[in-house]
Amino acid sequence: MRAITIETPGGPEALVLREVPDPVPGPGEVLVEVTATAVNRADVLQRQGFYDPPPGASRYPGLECSGRVAALGEGVVGWSVGDEVCALLAGGGYAEKVAVPVGQLLPAPKGVDLVTAGGLPEVVCTVWSNVFQVCHLRPGETLLVHGGSSGIGTMAIQLGKAIGARVAVTAGSAEKLAACAELGADVLVNYREQDFVAELAALGGADVILDVVGAKYLDRNIDALALNGRLVIIGMQGGVKADLNIAKLMAKRGAVAATSLRARPLEEKAAVVASVREHVWPLIESGVVKPVIDRVFPLAEAAEAHRLMESSTHIGKILLQVLG
């Protein structure tokens, strides 16, 4: 099969398409012939040499995919060869075939084409697990989403609105904020021109903050919390080290969590996927929540897709089409 390899970490040119051996599904795994995958920030970090796959995972980048079941490993039930699926991965999406633990497999949602479905698993599982399972966002609460026009952001807006929350977003341009508004965002903050802390203070603060920035925003995020607010950090684009004012956090009776999805044990990821199938898949199949796709590149143009990701000019997800 063909796969994108990273022989020497570096810039986008480090992504090289090569012929490699086919994976073989082990017990409890399903072999998926990949139709599409998506570009995530974690893929960029892996390409740069800063985010290795967990032990036992494929060395090829790609944290999600869509496609068709090509073979079943020992002990797998409930799936058949030819089923159209999408999957949460620890790696290996940038390839024509990938072996997937069966607990991380989802049926391709009805009403969504198979290429588009390749951009759903990672973003949906990330948002659902953090905003709803960790932070327990409730109807009537205020959710602040940093990077509202990103793949994560566009999904968080829609899921927040679907459960009846008020959604505030930050983004860096009028175009990006307009896209957020079209998805239902109630409060639009241009972080280049406005102070999100002041904007949220006017609303009584944020009950939940979904943050991809990290250290740079830590103190201001605590300022932006409402009483009993919950901050969850899922990215480090603004650095990894910051001082935490514990007194300020205690005064807010607030909570700070930091999570990642890739390295969680299989049973934890399976639980997230099962919850997504139960709670989010019906919203997608009914059209209440829709994937937002910026561009689709062929697999051979993975480097160009990474350049677009790093430019931060995209809105929604960037996909790689692997097979027709």
Side-chain angles (χ1 to χ4, degrees), residues 218-237:
L218 178 60
D219 191 62
R220 295 171 67 204
N221 276 332
I222 293 172
D223 286 336
L225 284 177
L227 286 176
N228 300 305
R230 293 86 73 195
L231 163 64
V232 62
I233 302 168
I234 62 169
M236 302 174 289
Q237 295 176 38

Side-chain angles (χ1 to χ4, degrees), residues 13-307:
E13 67 281 356
L15 302 172
V16 179
L17 185 63
R18 296 194 184 281
E19 288 288 335
V20 299
D22 286 5
V24 177
E29 292 184 336
V30 170
L31 185 67
V32 174
E33 188 175 69
V34 177
T35 296
T37 185
V39 178
N40 290 286
R41 291 281 176 185
D43 303 333
V44 174
L45 291 173
Q46 180 176 338
R47 187 202 77 217
Q48 294 170 336
F50 300 129
Y51 192 23
D52 289 337
S58 170
R59 306 303 295 174
Y60 313 129
L63 300 182
E64 57 194 327
C65 75
S66 60
R68 295 176 176 85
V69 174
L72 305 177
E74 181 184 347
V76 171
V77 296
W79 300 94
S80 301
V81 171
D83 285 348
E84 294 191 342
V85 297
C86 51
L88 180 69
L89 308 174
Y94 290 26
E96 292 180 336
K97 295 177 182 178
V98 63
V100 184
V102 69
Q104 293 164 221
L105 208 61
L106 287 155
K110 297 179 179 66
V112 177
D113 69 84
L114 201 52
V115 171
T116 300
L120 281 172
E122 172 72 12
V123 68
V124 174
C125 289
T126 296
V127 173
W128 182 255
S129 63
N130 286 287
V131 174
F132 298 94
Q133 294 184 314
V134 173
C135 290
H136 305 288
L137 181 69
R138 295 182 288 268
E141 290 191 321
T142 297
L143 167 66
L144 170 60
V145 180
H146 289 301
S149 63
S150 66
I152 292 288
T154 54
M155 181 57 63
I157 293 167
Q158 294 182 81
L159 289 178
K161 295 302 296 181
I163 67 102
R166 174 169 56 181
V167 179
V169 299
T170 64
S173 71
E175 179 189 10
K176 289 185 175 183
L177 289 173
C180 295
E182 288 182 9
L183 294 171
D186 303 287
V187 181
L188 309 173
V189 181
N190 187 326
Y191 66 80
R192 301 182 192 277
E193 302 172 356
Q194 299 166 276
D195 179 5
F196 72 81
V197 176
E199 298 296 327
L200 268 294
L203 305 174
D207 299 288
V208 173
I209 300 178
L210 181 64
D211 178 49
V212 297
V213 178
K216 182 179 177 180
Y217 273 12
L218 178 60
D219 191 62
R220 295 171 67 204
N221 276 332
I222 293 172
D223 286 336
L225 284 177
L227 286 176
N228 300 305
R230 293 86 73 195
L231 163 64
V232 62
I233 302 168
I234 62 169
M236 302 174 289
Q237 295 176 38
V240 300
K241 292 183 179 181
D243 291 330
L244 173 63
N245 187 324
I246 297 173
K248 187 187 296 186
L249 185 63
M250 291 175 69
K252 292 288 182 82
R253 300 194 295 275
V256 178
T259 76
S260 66
L261 188 57
R262 186 181 197 181
R264 291 193 195 186
L266 294 182
E267 59 271 18
E268 288 189 20
K269 286 192 274 193
V272 171
V273 168
S275 186
V276 161
R277 183 171 182 177
E278 178 183 357
H279 297 285
V280 182
W281 245 227
L283 297 174
I284 293 172
E285 293 186 335
S286 67
V288 171
V289 172
K290 299 178 181 179
V292 178
I293 307 301
D294 188 284
R295 283 186 63 182
V296 181
F297 292 84
L299 182 63
E301 295 180 15
E304 288 304 311
H306 273 229
R307 290 187 180 98

Side-chain angles (χ1 to χ4, degrees), residues 41 294-295 297 303-314 317-318:
R41 291 281 176 185
D294 188 284
R295 283 186 63 182
F297 292 84
E304 288 304 311
H306 273 229
R307 290 187 180 98
L308 177 59
M309 169 66 75
E310 291 181 285
S311 76
S312 293
T313 58
H314 61 290
K317 297 284 285 188
I318 301 167

